[in-house]
């Protein structure tokens, strides 16, 4: 055999990589034997999908119940918990705190019968008591806009209650046995906080069965009585730690007294397919292994999706740099948005009670920064249209109030603002003073990036339908 034929023969036998050693043919190395790889455990894709959809659907209900349990610790059953001070720079536990109101909250268990809410004469002071059902929909709004500021009595009744109310008591029906009263009493800060707090104390709750008598001084609920609830851990974090058994069992136990809405019939069928039955524990261990893995995977995927969506905000329309969304408070079948809103923060108002607009950009699309001077200019007759009032609040880039020499964190229609000679209004925003004669209209900013929230209470129809738009924040450098 010629050398050329030898080379070709070796190439054919061992492959081109062996050409360099073909003059000395050697046996190829023994093939490396890999241990067989175990196949990934099967996951039931249909159960994963169902579990994910039901998780998102039920998230507001489960989170509301855990929040109730945490809030009930140390508080007499069916009584108000009052916040008697306004948030300040030390208030870092809540994003974008609101200093327009003193807040009061009460959780009601209407399975025990109706509860009478007595509201005082606020003597013209704006207030709102929003009632939310267990699924986080705003069920009713009591207060200045709807019932006036004179004293009143309202019977909060559950979905199944039938009976007769005393004269002069107006019925407010909740579609769920778990109801949340979220009261807001307007205050202008300073010494006005004490006046608002005195009115706040006059909001009372009493069972219909003992009409006119305060709720009995029962012992406050303790952590051991709250279904394994940790009163030191944020409700959202506790829900995140729940496995499928814990989460869907809590859902099942809540369903009897807090039924889904009529429009939720398709979700009822999905819960049934998943094996969720009102009043009965959910046991993932009774499912076949693939189905069980599918359920757990669906729970994780759903929580991840809610968390990711919440990091991007609720969305809405962008107008002159302001983000505004009026499709809130009553969620219908938009279960994804409802879940994200609950994750971000329970207690969103109905649009007819309040519309919030937020921005971190000036009118030119640049990041707001306290090193720059800004003006928010309203033409004559174009201030935020409100039958209540409006306010503009400023937060640092972590959504907290920023320290400043004036200790001023918001400004608005209840402030002593000075209009321009032509009737227009300028609000000055920045770290540096706008100059003599203008500080009454100055909203101080930190030396760095910041955010703004414009809140309009009892907005006029043109705000809700989008005919009025807040002007862009103008950099006057």
């Amino acid at each position: 055999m010629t050398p050329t034929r030898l080379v070709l023969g070796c190439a054919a036998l061992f492959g081109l990589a062996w050409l360099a050693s073909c003059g000395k043919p050697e046996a190829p190395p023994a093939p490396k034997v890999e241990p067989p790889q175990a196949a990934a455990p099967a996951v039931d894709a249909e159960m994963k999908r169902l579990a994910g959809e039901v998780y998102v659907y039920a998230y507001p209900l489960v989170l509301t119940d855990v929040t109730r349990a945490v809030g009930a610790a140390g508080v007499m059953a069916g009584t108000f918990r009052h916040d008697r001070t306004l948030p300040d720079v030390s208030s870092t536990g809540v994003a974008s705190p609101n200093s327009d109101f003193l807040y009061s909250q009460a959780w009601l268990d209407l399975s025990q019968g109706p509860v009478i809410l007595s509201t005082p004469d606020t003597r013209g002071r704006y207030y709102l008591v929003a009632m939310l059902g267990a699924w986080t929909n705003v069920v009713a709004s009591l207060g200045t806009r709807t019932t006036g500021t004179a004293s009143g009595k309202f019977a909060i009744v559950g979905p199944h209650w039938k009976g007769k109310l005393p004269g002069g008591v107006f019925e407010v029906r909740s579609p769920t046995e778990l109801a949340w009263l979220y009261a807001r009493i307007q205050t202008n800060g300073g010494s006005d906080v004490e006046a608002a707090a005195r009115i706040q104390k006059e909001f009372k709750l009493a069972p219909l069965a003992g009409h006119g008598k305060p709720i009995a001084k029962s012992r406050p609920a303790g952590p051991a009585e709250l279904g394994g609830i940790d009163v030191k851990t944020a409700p959202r974090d506790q829900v995140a730690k729940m496995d499928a058994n814990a989460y869907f069992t809590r859902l099942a136990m809540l369903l009897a007294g807090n039924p889904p809405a009529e429009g939720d019939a398709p979700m009822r069928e999905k819960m049934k397919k998943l094996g969720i039955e009102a009043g009965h524990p959910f046991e993932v261990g009774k499912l076949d292994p693939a189905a069980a893995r599918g359920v757990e995977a669906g729970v994780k995927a759903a929580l991840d999706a809610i968390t990711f969506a919440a990091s991007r905000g609720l969305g809405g329309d962008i107008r002159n740099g302001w983000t505004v969304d009026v499709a809130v408070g009553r969620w219908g079948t938009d279960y994804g948005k409802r879940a994200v809103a609950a994750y971000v923060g329970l207690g969103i108002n109905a649009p007819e009670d309040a519309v919030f607009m937020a921005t971190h950009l000036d009118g030119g699309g640049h990041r707001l920064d306290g090193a720059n001077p800004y003006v928010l200019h309203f033409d004559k007759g174009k201030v935020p249209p409100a039958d209540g009032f409006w306010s503009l609040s400023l937060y640092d880039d972590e959504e907290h109030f920023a320290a400043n020499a004036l200790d001023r964190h918001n400004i608005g229609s209840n402030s002593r603002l000075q209009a321009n000679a032509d009737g227009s209004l300028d609000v000055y925003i920045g770290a540096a003073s706008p100059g003599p004669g203008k500080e009454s209209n100055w909203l101080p900013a930190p030396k760095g990036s910041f955010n703004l929230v414009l809140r309009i209470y009892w907005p006029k129809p043109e705000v809700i339908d989008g005919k009025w738009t807040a002007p862009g924040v103008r950099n006057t450098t």
Side-chain angles (χ1 to χ4, degrees):
M1 180 181 290
T2 64
T4 300
R5 293 180 65 187
L6 177 61
V7 169
L8 290 176
C10 290
L13 183 59
F14 301 114
L16 294 177
W18 294 95
L19 281 174
S21 59
C22 212
K24 295 181 179 179
E26 297 179 0
K32 186 177 181 180
V33 179
E34 297 285 349
Q37 296 293 320
V43 173
D44 188 319
E46 175 65 9
M47 292 297 280
K48 178 180 177 180
R49 182 187 64 79
L50 277 174
E53 290 186 14
V54 172
Y55 186 99
V56 170
Y57 170 75
Y59 186 82
L61 177 62
V62 174
L63 179 61
T64 293
D65 185 56
V66 174
T67 303
R68 170 206 59 80
V70 172
V75 180
M76 300 299 175
T79 59
F80 277 111
R81 178 197 290 267
H82 298 299
D83 293 329
R84 304 191 188 281
T85 59
L86 294 178
D88 55 22
V89 293
S90 67
S91 305
T92 58
V94 177
S96 303
N98 189 336
S99 60
D100 292 325
F101 299 104
L102 292 183
Y103 288 91
S104 300
Q105 302 180 47
W107 294 95
L108 307 181
D109 178 5
L110 300 175
S111 68
Q112 303 302 307
V115 174
I116 302 296
L117 166 66
S118 298
T119 60
D121 184 349
T122 66
R123 297 174 286 282
R125 184 184 295 266
Y126 182 93
Y127 84 96
L128 166 67
V129 181
M131 185 173 81
L132 284 79
W135 297 88
T136 70
N137 289 299
V138 176
V139 176
S141 297
L142 309 175
T144 305
R145 179 180 68 83
T146 56
T147 57
T149 60
S151 60
K153 290 185 180 295
F154 307 91
I156 315 299
V157 307
H160 309 299
W161 182 81
K162 295 179 181 180
K164 187 175 181 180
L165 295 173
V169 177
F170 298 93
E171 179 182 306
V172 181
R173 186 169 292 272
S174 170
T176 57
E177 290 180 347
L178 170 59
W180 182 28
L181 298 183
Y182 199 3
R184 302 162 172 88
I185 303 169
Q186 186 267 327
T187 179
N188 295 321
S191 60
D192 189 54
V193 173
E194 294 183 8
R198 286 194 292 272
I199 294 174
Q200 185 183 40
K201 291 173 63 176
E202 296 180 44
F203 284 79
K204 304 292 185 181
L205 292 168
L208 175 63
H211 182 49
K213 300 178 181 179
I215 288 178
K217 295 292 184 180
S218 57
R219 182 170 55 88
E225 300 169 283
L226 299 177
I229 296 299
D230 174 5
V231 297
K232 295 183 179 180
T233 302
R236 191 173 70 182
D237 295 336
Q238 295 188 53
V239 174
K241 294 177 182 178
M242 292 182 180
D243 60 13
N245 265 345
Y247 186 91
F248 290 132
T249 292
R250 199 171 194 96
L251 166 61
M253 297 306 175
L254 288 166
L255 283 175
N258 305 282
E262 290 184 6
D264 295 343
M267 289 306 305
R268 290 177 184 264
E269 288 301 312
K270 291 178 181 180
M271 287 190 285
K272 184 177 180 181
K273 289 181 180 179
L274 195 60
I276 295 172
E277 184 179 355
H280 295 272
F282 179 81
E283 298 181 67
V284 71
K286 290 187 175 181
L287 301 174
D288 67 70
R293 285 189 288 268
V295 168
E296 294 290 1
V299 165
K300 182 181 184 306
L303 177 60
D304 289 345
I306 293 171
T307 305
F308 176 75
S311 71
R312 302 171 69 88
L314 286 177
D317 298 331
I318 299 178
R319 308 170 188 169
N320 294 335
W322 297 90
T323 299
V324 58
D325 189 357
V326 297
V328 295
R330 298 186 186 94
W331 309 102
T333 57
D334 194 343
Y335 307 133
K337 187 174 183 178
R338 184 178 70 177
V340 172
Y343 184 94
V344 172
L346 297 175
I348 294 180
N349 290 295
E352 58 268 29
D353 288 319
V355 170
F356 292 180
M357 303 179 182
T359 187
H360 59 276
L361 304 173
D362 63 21
H366 303 291
R367 185 73 171 92
L368 294 171
D369 192 293
N372 302 318
Y374 299 95
V375 169
L376 181 59
H377 175 83
F378 299 103
D379 289 337
K380 182 180 180 180
K382 296 295 184 180
V383 295
D387 285 316
F389 66 99
W390 63 268
S391 72
L392 179 70
S393 298
L394 187 149
Y395 306 96
D396 62 22
D397 56 6
E398 294 183 347
E399 299 293 344
H400 303 144
F401 285 140
N404 62 80
L406 299 182
D407 196 27
R408 181 183 293 169
H409 308 297
N410 72 345
I411 202 167
S413 57
N414 290 329
S415 306
R416 296 179 179 178
L417 301 176
Q418 298 296 315
N420 299 320
D422 63 357
S424 64
L425 179 69
D426 287 323
V427 175
Y428 304 100
I429 307 165
S433 168
K438 296 181 177 180
E439 288 194 346
S440 63
N441 293 28
W442 176 33
L443 186 56
K447 293 181 179 179
S449 55
F450 65 89
N451 310 295
L452 296 170
V453 175
L454 176 63
R455 297 177 170 97
I456 307 175
Y457 300 103
W458 190 359
K460 291 182 180 291
E462 56 262 41
V463 176
I464 298 174
D465 62 24
K467 292 180 180 178
W468 181 89
T469 299
V473 181
R474 180 164 52 92
N475 186 332
T476 60
T477 302

